[in-house]
Amino acid sequence: MSFTAFDEHMMGIALALARRGLGTTAPNPAVGAVIADEATGEVIARGQTQPGGRPHAETEALRRAGARARGATLYVTLEPCAHHGKTPPCADAVVAAGVKRVVVGVEDPDPRTQGQGIARLREAGIAVATGLLGDEARWVTMGHILRVTAERPFVQLKMALDHDGELPRGQGGKALMVTGVEARGTGHLLRAESDAILIGSGTARDDDPDLTCRLPGLAARSPIRVVLSRTLDLPSDLKLVRTAREVPVWIFTSGEVDHRRVAALEDASVRVIAVGAAGGGLALTEVLGRLAAEGVTRLLVEGGEAVWRAFAEERLVDEVVLFQAGGDGKGHLAPAALAARYAPGLDLSPTSHRRVGADAVSTFRVIDLPRADIGRSA
């Protein structure tokens, strides 16, 4: 389809709005919408999916536009929904508002919509164009797409390495910080954009982390904190346990554990979830399936090394974000080589590399198709 520069600019705004909502809209996707007058170039109204997943972006933009939506163009990152849920279909609201044209970034694979929203708009005489900035629209919406097609969330590995490319290991319940305050702030933003954050039991014991978002004004966006612990061999005084009433903590364990440990954790408001056969390992596909069923669309995996490798070997990874102290690369492995060392077997494509304070942050996307049919244990 042919799109104008104005179309691309408006969809760019809609994508920026969608990104703002990452980590706040689960179980619904983060969507952005713009209503504009193509003749005058005026942006009439903007909207994004609101915290908790509703109102949806389209209805929010239509509410703000009011009567001025009639005859205008709607730019939306994801196909308007066509099903009745807790709110009426967005496609019906768009038709009722008298919008003349709709430009969609990516179609919705949710079986309840899956082209039906677009069909409803066209049946009402609205001109619909799809695929504008579709790759980015799909990426922003990937958590939703994977949840409804692969029954798992979007998985992002976060690695923080020292100047030599080594993984620092905490001792005595105290994490070893190797990057500066600016890079750590970027890491906390990743937490704010996630629905859940995951670590292994070794990291929980060694670092005793909070796993919360500590950026000013964003503390309320701390994700669900998830720990993989097959035997529940965790200290009872972990920060995660002590603060479970403030920010949710879920521990995935095997089917055969000491029930007294389970009771003690549950008394502290920790949710204990048994997966897999008794005495067996933790099947990552089952863990991700349970998270998706609970509405988690975006999962940030912070480590440690064994957990990174397990996710990578399963090819249950969509993006790798690598933080390196210093990050000048002189005499040391390049970011791509480091990512391959700690997340082996992934077909990675670099998407960005930037300085953040004294450190470097590199991002890689997995370019092969995600798989949900492999059953390895961690």
Side-chain angles (χ1 to χ4, degrees):
M1 294 184 182
S2 178
F3 296 105
T4 67
F6 181 77
D7 288 337
E8 291 193 11
H9 183 54
M10 292 301 103
M11 185 60 77
I13 295 174
L15 285 166
L17 291 167
R19 293 187 192 99
R20 287 186 193 174
L22 294 176
T24 70
T25 65
N28 290 341
V31 178
V34 175
I35 297 173
D37 185 330
E38 292 186 63
T40 65
E42 178 187 3
V43 173
I44 296 171
R46 297 176 295 177
Q48 66 189 77
T49 310
Q50 295 299 291
R54 59 185 63 84
H56 293 182
E58 303 95 314
T59 54
E60 185 69 9
L62 291 170
R63 179 187 66 81
R64 297 179 180 183
R68 297 194 64 202
R70 185 164 299 277
T73 297
L74 168 67
Y75 298 87
V76 61
T77 56
L78 180 68
E79 175 184 4
C81 63
H83 62 278
H84 282 270
K86 294 186 178 180
T87 57
C90 288
D92 289 353
V94 174
V95 171
V99 170
K100 180 180 179 181
R101 178 175 178 244
V102 175
V103 180
V104 176
V106 65
E107 296 183 26
D108 191 347
D110 189 327
R112 299 171 299 175
T113 292
Q114 205 168 27
Q116 297 177 61
I118 291 172
R120 194 170 299 180
L121 298 177
R122 286 176 172 155
E123 288 168 2
I126 297 173
V128 182
T130 63
L132 178 58
L133 302 183
D135 287 345
E136 279 308 299
R138 183 174 185 272
W139 193 255
V140 169
T141 319
M142 187 60 76
H144 167 73
I145 292 172
L146 288 171
R147 183 170 177 259
V148 300
T149 61
E151 297 182 343
R152 72 165 178 86
F154 172 88
V155 176
Q156 185 181 58
L157 297 192
K158 177 206 165 190
M159 303 176 179
L161 308 176
D162 65 20
H163 187 269
D164 296 320
E166 300 297 327
L167 173 63
R169 184 165 183 170
Q171 293 183 348
K174 186 174 182 180
L176 179 61
M177 303 293 183
V178 294
T179 55
V181 62
E182 297 92 343
R184 293 201 297 274
T186 300
H188 280 264
L189 183 59
L190 294 180
R191 294 179 178 182
E193 293 176 345
S194 302
D195 304 325
I197 180 173
L198 182 147
I199 59 171
S201 58
T203 299
R205 287 190 298 269
D206 293 343
D207 293 357
D208 191 15
D210 291 289
L211 298 184
T212 54
C213 176
R214 294 189 291 279
L215 291 176
L218 294 182
R221 290 178 58 171
S222 293
I224 298 165
R225 300 170 293 173
V226 178
V227 181
L228 303 182
S229 179
R230 186 175 62 82
T231 61
L232 291 185
D233 55 339
L234 299 169
S236 59
D237 62 345
L238 285 177
K239 292 176 185 175
L240 292 171
V241 176
R242 299 201 311 266
T243 61
R245 290 185 173 86
E246 301 163 18
V247 179
V249 175
W250 298 355
I251 299 180
F252 283 86
T253 189
S254 67
E256 185 177 325
V257 293
D258 187 333
H259 294 292
R260 291 173 297 179
R261 291 183 178 177
V262 174
L265 289 167
E266 290 179 340
D267 285 345
S269 294
V270 174
R271 183 177 178 187
V272 180
I273 303 172
V275 295
L282 300 181
L284 295 181
T285 50
E286 189 171 351
V287 171
L288 294 182
R290 289 292 298 270
L291 289 174
E294 294 286 347
V296 172
T297 67
R298 293 177 60 87
L299 175 67
L300 178 65
V301 177
E302 287 212 359
E305 183 177 351
V307 173
W308 293 340
R309 289 182 178 275
F311 274 88
E313 289 171 7
E314 289 284 351
R315 290 166 62 188
L316 293 172
V317 178
D318 304 294
E319 187 171 65
V320 175
V321 183
L322 189 151
F323 293 74
Q324 188 175 11
D328 55 18
K330 295 179 180 178
H332 302 288
L333 287 176
L338 289 172
R341 174 201 284 180
Y342 291 103
L346 299 177
D347 192 0
L348 298 174
S349 174
T351 57
S352 69
H353 177 79
R354 60 195 176 101
R355 302 290 303 183
V356 180
D359 310 307
V361 180
S362 303
T363 303
F364 303 86
R365 291 180 183 175
V366 178
I367 59 178
D368 54 351
L369 292 175
R371 295 173 60 185
D373 59 343
I374 309 174
R376 171 186 161 88
S377 296

